[in-house]
Amino acid sequence: MKQKLSQIPGPIGVFDSGYGGLTILSKIRETLPQYDYIYLGDNARTPYGTRSFEIVYEFTLQAVNKLFEMGCHLVILACNTASAKALRTIQMNDLPHLDPQRRVLGVIRPTVECIGSITHSRHVGVLATAGTIKSESYPMEIHKLFPDIYVSGEACPMWVPLVENNEAQSSGADYFIQKYIDTLLSKDQQIDTVILGCTHYPLLLPKIKHFMPDGIKIVSQGEYVAGSLKDYLHRHPEIAAKCTQNGKCTFCTTEAEEKFIESASAFLNEDITVKRVVLE
Ligand code: DGL
């Protein structure tokens, strides 16, 4: 039976398939420290990048419902795979039934909006999970705003496991970092801007910078998502009024609490308390 959702203001929900969304959350908190946040990581079922449309949609909808039940009126899908495969359907088909006053936003549109002023050659590359690349969400969103930009994509299936297994700094990671960059750039010699279209990839930034040829700009999405959210709340005071402001952040995971705390330390510079939740 559907639960009645509270109309009392609540925190902003930030959802990711695992830890990667913490890179987005930290930029959002830097930009908007006054708000309260609930971070929800579906760590027990990560990765999403290799899963089908149906499953990513089902899991993401469960997470959105959970965050709504926890009092969020605004939820950010801080996961490119979820943004690519579930956001549109949730916005169009589910929100009208769940609560038309609540909002769910993704990370692809805010990332794409900045591209037009960054690329000079009008040739852009996207590095992301297999699911995000296959969805064609980046080329579709880029072409809506900038029809003249030529987009090439390359899936990097080994990058998320490198981060999740604490191998981001290891010399063994070099082979896979270089491999996907070289493959992407060999598709189009004129690429001057590369989007890191996965929330885990900023953790690989030192090595990505090392293997990216000079002169190619790397777009890491956290700051753009944070800036876009600030702008959104400014343009939508009715939604901002439903977001509480005590500067607090709560962390939830579908995995064991201890495991989340241990692994999240690579992403955060603070001691956190974590609550386990069940998504269904
Ligand atoms: N956080 C996901 C993304 O941004 C990557 C991790 C996963 O495959 O679940 O696409």
Side-chain angles (χ1 to χ4, degrees):
M1 201 181 68
K2 212 169 87 180
Q3 215 176 313
K4 195 163 171 7
L5 297 170
S6 163
Q7 293 309 313
I8 298 168
I12 296 171
V14 178
F15 169 68
D16 186 58
S17 59
Y19 304 108
L22 293 170
T23 62
I24 303 280
L25 176 72
S26 67
K27 291 288 176 197
I28 291 177
R29 287 174 74 197
E30 260 172 54
T31 307
L32 296 161
Q34 68 275 34
Y35 286 99
D36 297 328
Y37 300 94
I38 299 181
Y39 182 86
L40 171 56
D42 192 5
N43 301 84
R45 302 190 294 193
T46 198
Y48 280 16
T50 45
R51 292 188 189 272
S52 66
F53 173 89
E54 288 78 10
I55 294 296
V56 172
Y57 163 65
E58 186 184 310
F59 288 0
T60 306
L61 182 59
Q62 289 171 355
V64 167
N65 271 319
K66 175 61 77 179
L67 287 164
F68 283 174
E69 281 166 30
M70 293 171 99
C72 302
H73 291 259
L74 172 62
V75 171
I76 314 296
L77 301 184
C79 173
N80 288 270
T81 312
S83 298
K85 293 186 161 195
L87 176 65
R88 187 58 54 88
T89 314
I90 290 174
Q91 285 175 333
M92 308 274 285
N93 296 354
D94 297 296
L95 269 185
H97 308 292
L98 294 169
D99 182 347
Q101 307 306 322
R102 282 170 211 251
R103 295 289 178 270
V104 181
L105 306 175
V107 288
I108 295 179
R109 181 73 181 214
T111 310
V112 160
E113 278 170 358
C114 72
I115 287 303
S117 57
I118 297 177
T119 174
H120 294 298
S121 69
R122 315 307 274 174
H123 289 250
V124 166
V126 180
L127 295 169
T129 64
T132 301
I133 294 296
K134 210 166 154 219
S135 74
E136 301 264 321
S137 291
Y138 270 97
M140 280 188 304
E141 288 298 326
I142 290 174
H143 289 145
K144 275 186 209 160
L145 298 178
F146 313 108
D148 62 316
I149 292 182
Y150 190 84
V151 187
S152 305
E154 179 64 16
C156 313
M158 290 302 290
W159 284 12
V160 168
L162 286 173
V163 173
E164 295 273 335
N165 290 291
N166 274 325
E167 295 286 345
Q169 317 295 335
S170 76
S171 55
D174 291 10
Y175 171 79
F176 288 107
I177 306 285
Q178 185 167 17
K179 178 184 157 115
Y180 300 134
I181 291 174
D182 288 354
T183 309
L184 174 71
L185 298 180
S186 71
K187 289 180 176 172
D188 178 0
Q189 315 277 317
Q190 288 175 263
I191 289 173
D192 73 347
T193 304
V194 171
I195 298 172
L196 302 185
C198 172
T199 53
H200 281 65
Y201 297 175
L203 275 294
L204 296 166
L205 206 48
K207 285 189 188 284
I208 293 173
K209 279 184 178 158
H210 178 76
F211 288 110
M212 196 69 75
D214 288 344
I216 297 188
K217 285 160 246 123
I218 302 166
V219 174
S220 196
Q221 55 193 168
E223 64 185 282
Y224 299 104
V225 173
S228 169
L229 178 60
K230 185 177 179 182
D231 180 53
Y232 179 87
L233 291 169
H234 184 70
R235 285 185 290 111
H236 296 275
E238 76 289 359
I239 302 291
K242 292 178 187 168
C243 302
T244 49
Q245 301 194 27
N246 304 296
K248 288 204 183 111
C249 189
T250 312
F251 295 85
C252 298
T253 176
T254 53
E255 248 288 357
E257 285 99 336
E258 310 78 56
K259 187 160 188 328
F260 184 92
I261 291 171
E262 188 192 310
S263 304
S265 60
F267 295 81
L268 298 163
N269 292 317
E270 62 181 316
D271 289 334
I272 55 167
T273 47
V274 182
K275 187 176 156 226
R276 184 172 170 197
V277 296
V278 175
L279 297 182
E280 52 196 6

